[in-house]
Amino acid sequence: MTQTPNNANTDADRPADLWSFALRCYAIEQAHLLSLQHNAGLHINDALVAAYAAASASLLDGVRWEYVRSGRPRQILLRVRRVRQSMKRSDPNRPRALDFELELERWDLFRLAGCVSGKGSASDEDRSAEVLSEQCDLSVDEVKALIHRLRCSAGPSHGE
């Protein structure tokens, strides 16, 4: 059985489908993803959208993806994350910072969902892995293995 997002979804459903896909992956791969974020500079949402596009055999539009990665909302997310990480666990404001960071993550994924469209191919998946590799300290082969791992972690979709 192929493990993909719900291919029956329309473009309007894609943000919710990507969010569900991300939650399924993250539930299983949290420790691994956080380690890669901390040690290799991986932006988890970028890995999730690349895996989502591959799982749904869709095209990940590189121009739009770069726009999201370099845009102000992503920069705000990264600033909030740095502030939250600098807070002591006992800081009474830390839970609010975590909640705000989660909302920014959701917004980031919503924007990334707009980068996924049309029919993709294996070469599109390879290009996504190359782009993601350039953004962090992982080789292209390591990124491809991560994308595969995330696809498997997401499990079969509701539409199969």
Side-chain angles (χ1 to χ4, degrees), residues 10-116:
T10 66
D11 287 345
D13 297 329
R14 190 168 288 119
D17 194 37
L18 174 55
W19 181 251
S20 294
F21 179 88
L23 290 176
R24 290 191 311 269
C25 290
Y26 196 77
I28 295 169
E29 300 292 341
Q30 178 180 2
H32 183 66
L33 289 169
L34 289 174
S35 174
L36 291 174
Q37 177 177 273
H38 180 72
N39 297 315
L42 174 75
H43 194 284
I44 294 170
N45 282 355
D46 288 334
L48 291 168
V49 77
Y52 175 84
S56 61
S58 298
L59 175 65
L60 183 55
D61 184 319
V63 173
R64 286 183 177 179
W65 193 18
E66 176 57 30
Y67 179 75
V68 172
R69 285 194 326 261
S70 64
R72 184 128 175 95
R74 174 69 66 92
Q75 301 314 308
I76 293 169
L77 167 60
L78 296 175
R79 278 190 217 144
V80 168
R81 180 176 296 142
R82 282 190 298 273
V83 168
R84 192 253 318 149
Q85 289 171 337
S86 72
M87 298 171 115
K88 292 182 179 180
R89 291 197 182 272
S90 61
D91 189 319
N93 292 315
R94 194 166 191 272
R96 278 193 289 171
L98 281 166
D99 290 343
F100 188 44
E101 185 179 353
L102 180 61
E103 280 305 311
L104 291 170
E105 291 281 357
R106 184 188 294 260
W107 186 19
D108 191 62
L109 276 171
F110 178 83
R111 295 182 75 228
L112 287 168
C115 303
V116 180

